[in-house]
Amino acid sequence: MQIRTRLLTGILLITASLTVVACGGSGTGPGQPSASAGPVAASTSAAPDQPGRVTPLIVGHRGAPGYRPEHTLASYELAARMGADYIEADVVPTKDGVLVNRHEPEIGGTTDVASHPEFANRKTTKNLDGTQTTGWFTEDFTLAELKTLKAVERLPDVRQHNTMYNGLYQVPTLQEYLDTAKRLSGELHRQVGVYIETKHPTFFRAQGIDVDKMLVDELNKNNLNTPDAKVFIESFETNLKQLHDQLKVPLVQLIDSTGAPADWVAAGDKRTYADMVKPAGLAEVAKYAQAIGPDKTLIIPTDPAGNPGPATTLVTDAHAVGLKLHPYTFRNENQFLPADLRSSANPVDYGKAIDEDVRFFKLGVDGIFTDNTDTGLVARAEYLAQH
């Protein structure tokens, strides 16, 4: 308990000092408010690995979206300053061939595009991996046009406090994200890793856009395609097989709790993600990837009411073929927690999220994707203190 209190106090002090200022700030780019009002103490990360013990990675999922709108430079900076080992970015293309950071190509829910009458005629419906999706898509905008938009909170009913940052931040480019990680690595005197997802490669390939080549080119340009670079590349599709031949950094096969990789579906392959997590499927993944990023319910299933069941053998099975595991997504709010760790019937109240993180660390996972970096750090410290 003393460890939890001491770490949480330190992290809250860091968080409290990360206020939004009116404009500018080193490395944030024109018109980008800084995430920090000034110098901030370095991270509150746990100690390095000790012999015979694994220190799980804390991946700032889309930055720190528990506290700032996701995929903004402010969100990435906050996660890094809190102590995340890696900050995660999802990349999608613009009309003029620039990779930008958005969770999906459709940006109606993460930007203020709907309030821009000049873009009303860009609203359209596309088949996004089998789902008819209506909205505004990044590939229909030039970078200059996207830069006139501002980010908004994706989950305003869940994270109402984040809505006060609506309209402050631009859509960042992949290059701006990489520059931010490099700058923060210098300021924090530790390497801030980058964890990049290549989004919907089959969807974009059907439009004549090779997102994977764009990503490889960007990594090469930044001298990040090296074995010692602190980089992970992830995908829900098996395009990682082709990237395996082009990249020298670790690859992570993301695995959903339902459905199948979009490239398998497009090719008429009847296999699903459920086949991928079987021992034979994991052995196949291990031929081209170094880790898997499974939905956390593939490790601890829950029933329709949210009650957790016994853990599956996925951790053991993956480790048996040399794969590490970075499950997703760990969040503080009750609605994202198993029923036994909820604090109340209010879905947006914080529950016992630290306990959930520790629960997974005890099962042997090698890292977690979390919307709340501070929670993950406190949980990791508690776990390491017990082991």
Side-chain angles (χ1 to χ4, degrees):
M1 183 60 72
Q2 288 180 338
I3 291 174
R4 178 182 298 196
T5 302
R6 185 167 62 252
L7 263 177
L8 186 56
T9 300
I11 293 170
L12 288 175
L13 286 172
I14 291 175
T15 306
S17 68
L18 295 177
T19 57
V20 178
V21 296
C23 203
S26 174
T28 56
Q32 288 284 92
S34 172
S36 168
V40 179
S43 77
T44 323
S45 297
D49 286 350
Q50 294 180 5
R53 182 180 71 175
V54 173
T55 299
L57 297 177
I58 303 301
V59 181
H61 180 243
R62 310 177 197 171
Y67 313 107
R68 299 289 189 275
E70 67 186 32
H71 290 313
T72 59
L73 295 184
S75 183
Y76 298 138
E77 180 161 350
L78 180 54
R81 289 191 181 278
M82 281 182 164
D85 301 300
Y86 289 79
I87 49 177
E88 189 216 21
D90 301 323
V91 294
V92 292
T94 66
K95 185 177 183 178
D96 49 346
V98 179
L99 289 178
V100 295
N101 296 14
R102 290 289 89 187
H103 175 53
E104 294 290 345
E106 199 291 300
I107 55 173
T110 60
T111 72
D112 61 358
V113 64
S115 66
H116 285 251
E118 68 272 25
F119 298 136
N121 63 353
R122 305 284 179 92
K123 190 174 185 179
T124 186
T125 298
K126 299 188 181 187
N127 186 325
L128 182 59
D129 294 346
T131 300
Q132 291 298 111
T133 304
T134 299
W136 293 263
F137 293 77
T138 60
E139 67 270 23
D140 298 329
F141 291 77
T142 66
L143 177 61
E145 289 172 332
L146 281 178
K147 283 296 187 179
T148 67
L149 308 180
K150 293 297 177 68
V152 300
E153 171 56 35
R154 185 176 65 90
L155 302 173
D157 294 336
V158 179
R159 293 167 176 168
Q160 192 276 333
H161 55 280
N162 277 5
T163 62
M164 68 180 176
Y165 301 106
N166 287 354
L168 291 179
Y169 308 116
Q170 294 179 339
V171 174
T173 64
L174 175 60
Q175 186 61 57
E176 289 170 334
Y177 155 82
L178 295 175
D179 290 343
T180 297
K182 182 177 180 179
R183 172 176 61 83
L184 290 170
S185 295
E187 290 182 16
L188 299 175
H189 306 292
R190 64 180 181 85
Q191 192 65 36
V192 177
V194 294
Y195 206 126
I196 306 169
E197 181 180 349
T198 166
K199 298 291 293 190
H200 303 289
T202 298
F203 168 75
F204 287 119
R205 196 173 297 116
Q207 301 180 66
I209 304 171
D210 191 341
V211 175
D212 290 346
K213 181 181 185 304
M214 295 167 66
L215 176 57
V216 172
D217 289 347
E218 199 89 349
L219 292 176
N220 286 334
K221 183 180 74 174
N222 286 274
N223 297 314
L224 290 174
N225 189 11
T226 63
D228 60 343
K230 196 169 180 181
V231 177
F232 283 106
I233 301 299
E234 55 180 328
S235 178
F236 276 103
E237 299 184 31
T238 62
N239 60 312
L240 294 176
K241 291 182 179 180
Q242 288 73 49
L243 287 173
H244 174 73
D245 298 327
Q246 303 173 60
L247 293 177
K248 300 174 183 178
V249 299
L251 305 180
V252 183
Q253 179 66 64
L254 299 174
I255 305 176
D256 207 342
S257 59
T258 60
D263 56 323
W264 284 3
V265 174
D269 192 321
K270 300 301 182 184
R271 290 176 297 169
T272 67
Y273 286 121
D275 296 304
M276 192 176 277
V277 296
K278 294 176 181 177
L282 292 169
E284 180 64 26
V285 170
K287 294 178 181 179
Y288 60 85
Q290 288 68 49
I292 59 172
D295 184 298
K296 64 183 181 180
T297 61
L298 292 173
I299 297 175
I300 302 180
T302 54
D303 66 18
N307 299 301
T312 68
T313 62
L314 181 55
V315 173
T316 301
D317 293 342
H319 284 165
V321 295
L323 290 168
K324 296 185 182 299
L325 299 94
H326 303 158
Y328 68 89
T329 302
F330 293 81
R331 299 175 166 114
N332 284 359
E333 294 88 359
N334 282 324
Q335 64 183 280
F336 302 119
L337 291 167
D340 65 322
L341 296 180
R342 295 170 189 164
S343 62
S344 70
N346 187 339
V348 303
D349 282 350
Y350 275 14
K352 299 178 181 179
I354 293 172
D355 293 340
E356 184 188 34
D357 294 355
V358 171
R359 180 179 289 176
F360 277 79
F361 293 152
K362 287 181 176 178
L363 288 175
V365 302
D366 303 281
I368 60 170
F369 289 90
T370 176
D371 283 7
N372 305 86
T373 295
D374 50 353
T375 302
L377 288 170
V378 172
R380 182 171 70 179
E382 287 223 336
Y383 163 73
L384 294 176
Q386 298 167 13
H387 297 78

